[in-house]
Amino acid sequence: MHIRPAVFHDISAIATLEASAFNNDELYELLCPHRAAYPTHFRAAFLLRLQMRFWAPDFVMYVAETDEGDQDWSGAAEVTGCAIWRRRGNSEVAKRRRKSGDSWRAMIEVALLRVEELYMDTIKADKSLDYGMRARFRATASDDFEDVDEMWKLLNLATDPKFQHRGVGGMLIAWGQEQARKEDVCVGLTASMVGQSVYRKKGFRIYGKIPCPDFPDVPMMIWEPEGKEGAWGLYKDGKQKGVVL
């Protein structure tokens, strides 16, 4: 199995994978309480977000793919996992990375997809979604890592349930950690209750928590390059160094 940058024709398979992987996630249970009744709507929301992030210059999407000889090889390469990364910050390194993915086509695609998203939200097309709950969650979660100037953020990590516990997630996480190591920045993410143990094994620690309405606080986790452990302190408290929770 190997990882590679996603290409556009991967998007449909990734949407199916994410809808399956997050179907029992506690956050989506809250935000999309009707997903069992409207599974196509649930998947369509992932598809639209993936298309937008594929074209947006500050996002990077990697997939894991099977190789011939792997267990459960089907005779053709299959996407088994996906990680969506975002490079946050205004340093020259961050600006160059965003510029490298910018183009007129990307700008047009993102603009058209935003119009589609606005229209879908206006008519409340996604019957799997609780729009009010999503609005409250977004208002609360919008300031995550607001006191970290430069970072790689892992927005989504999904593994096909058929390929879990085979190191797929670890390979995808390692890509982002290597970029952060080269650029001397941290990696941040928000974790589900199940995901916390996975990220701890990869060297992440609790950085803070996002208070959420009608839902347990969402843990924010951070990974720091070797030799920089504790350098980012705790959420909104840069004085607390070297603390590992």
Side-chain angles (χ1 to χ4, degrees), residues 230-244:
W232 279 265
L234 292 175
Y235 187 43
K236 296 185 178 180
D237 191 353
K239 295 180 181 179
Q240 298 189 51
K241 304 296 182 182
V243 59
V244 178

Side-chain angles (χ1 to χ4, degrees), residues 108-230:
I108 292 169
E109 293 282 358
V110 170
L112 291 172
L113 288 163
R114 283 178 177 163
V115 171
E116 180 180 351
E117 181 184 46
L118 178 61
Y119 173 73
M120 299 294 279
D121 282 352
T122 300
I123 66 172
K124 292 183 168 54
D126 184 355
K127 301 302 182 184
S128 74
L129 177 66
D130 182 329
Y131 282 87
M133 182 60 70
R134 186 188 68 174
R136 293 196 295 276
F137 176 77
R138 283 181 172 179
T140 304
S142 62
D143 63 349
D144 68 326
F145 298 103
E146 63 181 351
D147 53 352
V148 179
D149 295 330
E150 301 285 330
M151 72 183 308
W152 277 94
K153 186 178 179 188
L154 179 57
L155 296 172
N156 266 16
L157 177 68
T159 302
D160 187 322
K162 296 184 299 182
F163 293 91
Q164 288 179 347
H165 310 297
R166 300 192 195 179
V168 174
M171 289 192 295
L172 293 165
I173 292 169
W175 181 89
Q177 289 175 318
E178 182 59 24
Q179 307 314 304
R181 188 179 289 112
K182 291 176 181 177
E183 298 173 16
D184 203 26
V185 299
C186 64
V187 174
L189 56 86
T190 53
S192 65
M193 298 302 292
V194 173
Q196 284 187 65
S197 61
V198 174
Y199 296 124
R200 285 184 185 276
K201 292 176 182 177
K202 298 301 178 183
F204 286 79
R205 65 173 175 85
I206 296 292
Y207 175 69
K209 292 186 178 180
I210 303 172
C212 292
D214 307 312
F215 189 73
D217 292 350
V218 176
M220 301 160 62
M221 302 188 76
I222 202 167
W223 175 88
E224 299 145 312
E226 295 80 0
K228 291 293 188 72
E229 292 85 356

Side-chain angles (χ1 to χ4, degrees), residues 87-96 98 148-151 185:
R87 180 58 165 91
R88 291 170 50 160
N90 291 305
S91 66
E92 289 304 313
V93 172
K95 289 177 181 177
R96 283 197 302 271
R98 285 194 292 270
V148 179
D149 295 330
E150 301 285 330
M151 72 183 308
V185 299

